[in-house]
Structure formats: structure tokens, C-alpha cells
């Protein structure tokens, strides 16, 4: 299962709320079970149509199963939203909710592992393997940092230094010594969806949110010089042509 195919669900039963993660089929099965037979098909179809709209909006769909029980659900948008949901920082309810692992779709729990989270949204320790990848960074592309944030490449300053903008905050930064990785669980079998590809960097130089205060020409000159120095060092290690 992919991250964006997963549902964030909160079940409010007589004022007691619990949250869990479901695939669409399990969500529909829960609705069919809750509604009376005479109205089940119509209600479920309507609920799923509204649910699909959450892929394009920040809201959630609330379904009234009985007078004292409701489901609130939405498609997960990104890793940051998933982490906020697990940690209780979300707009789906104003109450503290308890995570119910036993009610989750199994594939959703695999998504948690792939995105380096336990059931509380905290990072896993020693559970994932990082495999370095060969990759050429390009201006204009969007890169996923393995900490859960996405960045637009404004300039590829040299092979591994990038001028980036964080899409969630608008923060500008220079990512020094950036490398691409494939990350996947160390133990057991895993599906292709469990392989998360993204970047990490050694050091970030944070430049604020006001592009007009950033000297782009100076940045380009400085990091182009770094690139030339790296090329000179690498050429010294090579044997001369004979």
C-alpha cells in the first residue's frame, strides 16, 4: 500500500474516541457493517464519494453511523500529516484519541515502518536500512527528504550542494553534501511500496523566507568554486594519460 492510499480514521463511540489506519476496502466493510441493510449501499457510496474529495482538500468526511457514533476519515496526504495524526496534532477532532493498532489494516502498519514511525509517530531505532543511490540532481524537481519534508530544487550549485525551498514552510536553504538513498526495512520480507526513496544532507545553511535578502550571485560563485576545487582534487588522484 502507498502512503496516499491510506485512510486516517477516528471512531467516536458515545464520546470515546480512538484512531486507526485503514485501507479503502476495510473502511467500506466497516460502513456496510454499521448501516442497516436497507440503506447501506446508498450511504456507503455517498461516503466514499465524499472521502475521495479529501485528496484535494484539507478536510475530513464525518459519517453518522448512529445517533451516538461517528466515523471521521480522510486520505493521508504526506508523511508529515501521518506523523501529526499519530501524535495527536491534527484537525479531525478536538479531543485526545487513543491509537488502536488491532483495528488497523495490516498494510497500513507496513507503511508506518517504511516511513520510519512507530504507532505514536516517533522514529524507529535500528529498523531500517539506507542504501546509497547514484542520482543527478536537477533544477526545478521536487525532492523528498527522508525526515518527511519535500523540497523544490531552485539551483543545483554543484554535484551535491543544492539551493532548496521547503514546500511546507517556504524556508530557503543550502543543503551541503546531499545524497540520494533508498530506505527499506532491515528484517523480514517487504513490498516494493516499502522502499522509500529520498535525500539526506550533511549540513543545512538556513537562509530565511525572504528571497530578496539572499545574494544568489554570491552563493553561485562560492559553490561553483567548491565544485572546481573538488574536480581539481579528484583529477590529482587520477593517473595521467599515457
Amino acid at each position: 500500500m502507498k502512503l496516499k492510499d491510506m485512510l486516517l480514521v477516528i471512531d467516536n463511540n458515545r464520546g470515546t474516541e480512538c484512531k486507526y489506519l485503514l485501507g479503502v476496502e476495510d473502511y467500506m466493510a466497516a460502513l456496510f457493517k454499521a448501516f442497516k441493510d436497507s440503506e447501506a449501499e446508498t450511504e456507503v457510496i455517498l461516503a466514499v464519494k465524499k472521502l475521495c474529495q479529501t485528496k484535494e482538500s484539507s478536510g475530513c468526511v464525518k459519517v453518522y453511523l448512529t445517533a451516538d457514533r461517528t466515523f471521521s476519515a480522510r486520505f493521508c496526504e504526506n508523511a508529515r500529516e501521518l506523523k501529526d495524526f499519530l501524535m495527536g496534532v491534527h484537525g479531525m477532532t478536538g479531543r485526545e484519541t487513543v491509537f488502536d493498532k488491532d483495528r488497523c489494516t495490516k498494510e497500513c502498519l507496513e507503511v508506518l515502518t517504511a516511513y520510519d514511525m512507530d504507532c505514536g509517530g516517533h522514529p524507529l531505532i535500528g529498523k531500517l536500512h539506507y542504501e546509497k543511490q547514484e542520482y543527478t540532481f536537477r533544477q526545478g524537481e521536487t525532492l523528498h527528504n527522508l525526515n518527511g519534508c519535500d523540497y523544490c530544487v531552485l539551483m543545483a550549485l554543484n554535484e551535491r550542494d543544492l539551493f532548496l525551498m521547503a514546500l511546507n514552510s517556504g524556508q530557503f536553504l543550502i543543503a551541503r553534501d546531499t545524497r540520494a538513498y533508498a530506505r527499506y526495512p532491515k528484517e523480514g520480507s517487504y513490498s516494493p511500496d516499502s522502499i522509500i526513496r529520498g535525500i539526506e544532507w550533511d549540513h543545512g545553511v538556513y537562509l530565511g523566507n525572504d528571497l530578496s535578502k539572499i545574494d544568489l550571485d554570491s552563493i553561485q560563485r562560492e559553490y561553483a568554486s567548491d565544485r572546481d576545487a573538488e574536480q581539481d582534487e579528484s583529477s590529482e588522484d587520477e593517473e595521467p594519460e599515457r
Side-chain angles (χ1 to χ4, degrees):
M1 178 181 293
K2 295 182 183 296
L3 177 73
K4 292 190 176 184
D5 295 332
M6 187 170 63
L7 303 180
L8 313 178
V9 181
I10 292 178
D11 184 350
N12 182 326
N13 193 354
R14 299 181 179 180
T16 300
E17 294 188 338
C18 65
K19 58 187 175 184
Y20 44 96
L21 307 169
L22 290 181
V24 174
E25 290 185 4
D26 286 346
Y27 175 73
M28 292 176 65
L31 294 184
F32 273 117
K33 183 178 179 180
F35 285 121
K36 296 177 181 179
D37 292 340
S38 60
E39 60 186 14
E41 185 173 353
T42 301
E43 293 289 348
V44 171
I45 290 174
L46 180 60
V48 173
K49 283 184 176 179
K50 290 181 178 180
L51 182 67
C52 290
Q53 296 172 2
T54 66
K55 291 185 176 184
E56 308 296 334
S57 67
S58 59
C60 63
V61 174
K62 183 175 287 188
V63 179
Y64 293 86
L65 305 178
T66 65
D68 50 15
R69 188 181 180 196
T70 59
F71 272 177
S72 297
R74 65 167 284 105
F75 277 99
C76 184
E77 183 180 358
N78 51 46
R80 178 55 60 90
E81 183 178 51
L82 174 59
K83 182 178 180 179
D84 287 348
F85 178 77
L86 296 172
M87 299 187 77
V89 186
H90 53 80
M92 294 176 66
T93 177
R95 302 183 182 186
E96 183 176 350
T97 55
V98 178
F99 187 81
D100 191 341
K101 183 178 179 179
D102 293 336
R103 295 175 69 176
C104 292
T105 300
K106 175 179 177 294
E107 290 78 9
C108 293
L109 296 177
E110 293 175 357
V111 172
L112 285 187
T113 300
Y115 280 87
D116 193 26
M117 298 181 205
D118 64 15
C119 294
H122 305 292
L124 303 170
I125 305 298
K127 297 286 188 179
L128 299 173
H129 174 72
Y130 291 74
E131 184 176 319
K132 195 176 296 182
Q133 307 283 291
E134 292 295 329
Y135 189 81
T136 301
F137 299 109
R138 301 179 300 276
Q139 182 176 335
E141 69 178 328
T142 297
L143 298 174
H144 176 71
N145 187 300
L146 291 175
N147 68 6
C149 299
D150 291 332
Y151 295 83
C152 177
V153 180
L154 301 183
M155 285 190 288
L157 299 167
N158 54 56
E159 268 190 17
R160 293 204 298 267
D161 296 334
L162 306 175
F163 181 50
L164 304 176
M165 181 184 72
L167 296 183
N168 66 326
S169 65
Q171 169 88 275
F172 297 100
L173 70 146
I174 297 168
R176 300 294 313 265
D177 199 16
T178 307
R179 296 182 183 272
Y181 293 89
R183 187 181 69 192
Y184 49 85
K186 280 184 178 179
E187 300 177 357
S189 59
Y190 56 88
S191 70
D193 289 340
S194 295
I195 302 175
I196 307 302
R197 302 184 188 279
I199 60 167
E200 290 197 344
W201 54 76
D202 269 0
H203 176 63
V205 181
Y206 294 86
L207 304 171
N209 294 69
D210 190 346
L211 186 60
S212 66
K213 294 181 179 179
I214 301 172
D215 188 343
L216 299 180
D217 290 338
S218 176
I219 288 173
Q220 285 182 298
R221 286 194 301 271
E222 178 182 350
Y223 288 93
S225 298
D226 288 351
R227 177 183 59 198
D228 293 341
E230 289 174 3
Q231 289 174 343
D232 290 342
E233 289 176 5
S234 63
S235 64
E236 291 175 0
D237 296 333
E238 296 174 358
E239 292 186 6
E241 295 183 2
R242 297 182 184 275

